[in-house]
Amino acid sequence: LYPEKETEVSVNLTLDGKLTCTYPKYKGGWKVTALPDGRLTDASGQTYNYLYWEGETYSQYDLTEGFCVKGEDTAKFLENSLQKLGLNRKEANEFIVYWLPIMEDNPYNIISFQTENYTDAAKLNINPSPDTLIRVFMTWQSADKYVNLPEQQLSAPERNGFTVVEWGGTEINK
């Protein structure tokens, strides 16, 4: 959450599935004071770098369009792709540190960034409403050999005003 000035923000998530882990604890929503640098403070004075949630959804993801990337090339691919998708360097670093350890030793990774399938399954209600909302959700699966896929086009809105960024992903088991 990156408001232009210190702002009280509430975030509610409606998930087509169930939450399995949240931090800070999700109690029907999150209410925090957000600073322009992204730091968050809850009512008890505890600070956070971001709101975290993990869950299981009933959503079906589509891997018919995307990228097939050698495991050893995954870090470079993610650096380039996440920049195109609108993540800043700090956000991209957190994303890569989270996913790279389970991807880089695979012979190949089939990667597709989901938009509607994801945003339909995990709806956000943010008050005040952000001026810019960037949601990056990667689906991927390992592959033993190269798979030729139609390449996905990646783009992001320009960051203006109160900006909210969310990133995540899931491994699709074969």
Side-chain angles (χ1 to χ4, degrees):
L1 307 174
Y2 303 101
E4 293 182 289
K5 62 183 188 327
E6 184 174 314
T7 305
E8 299 294 319
V9 180
S10 66
V11 178
N12 291 291
L13 170 67
T14 303
L15 185 65
D16 177 18
K18 68 176 183 174
L19 292 171
T20 56
C21 182
T22 62
Y23 186 75
K25 195 52 104 186
Y26 185 85
K27 298 174 186 169
W30 289 288
K31 290 186 185 341
V32 294
T33 300
L35 297 175
D37 66 3
R39 284 181 294 152
L40 309 173
T41 306
D42 66 14
S44 68
Q46 181 69 16
T47 60
Y48 305 90
N49 292 326
Y50 44 81
L51 305 173
Y52 176 83
W53 70 270
E54 198 172 278
E56 297 172 357
T57 74
Y58 305 113
S59 188
Q60 297 295 309
Y61 298 112
D62 181 5
L63 293 173
T64 59
E65 183 180 85
F67 309 90
C68 188
V69 179
K70 280 187 178 178
E72 64 195 40
D73 297 336
T74 301
K76 190 68 173 160
F77 168 80
L78 290 174
E79 287 172 355
N80 293 333
S81 297
L82 296 172
Q83 181 179 15
K84 290 177 186 173
L85 290 166
L87 298 193
N88 67 28
R89 185 67 198 127
K90 180 178 182 284
E91 296 154 357
N93 183 75
E94 290 170 349
F95 185 105
I96 292 166
V97 167
Y98 186 90
W99 288 108
L100 190 61
I102 55 177
M103 296 176 77
E104 70 179 344
D105 291 333
N106 297 330
Y108 291 91
N109 293 300
I110 299 169
I111 299 170
S112 181
F113 295 95
Q114 306 291 309
T115 305
E116 285 181 25
N117 290 342
Y118 173 66
T119 57
D120 287 350
K123 295 181 184 340
L124 289 177
N125 183 350
I126 302 164
N127 190 18
S129 292
D131 300 303
T132 306
L133 178 60
I134 298 172
R135 301 182 78 189
V136 174
F137 190 81
M138 175 184 74
T139 54
W140 69 278
Q141 70 181 190
S142 64
D144 293 327
K145 60 184 186 201
Y146 182 81
V147 175
N148 194 17
L149 294 171
E151 189 171 300
Q152 191 174 22
Q153 297 302 307
L154 305 179
S155 64
E158 187 177 324
R159 290 181 182 225
N160 287 311
F162 174 29
T163 299
V164 172
V165 177
E166 179 190 34
W167 64 259
T170 191
E171 179 180 6
I172 306 295
N173 295 313
K174 298 176 192 176

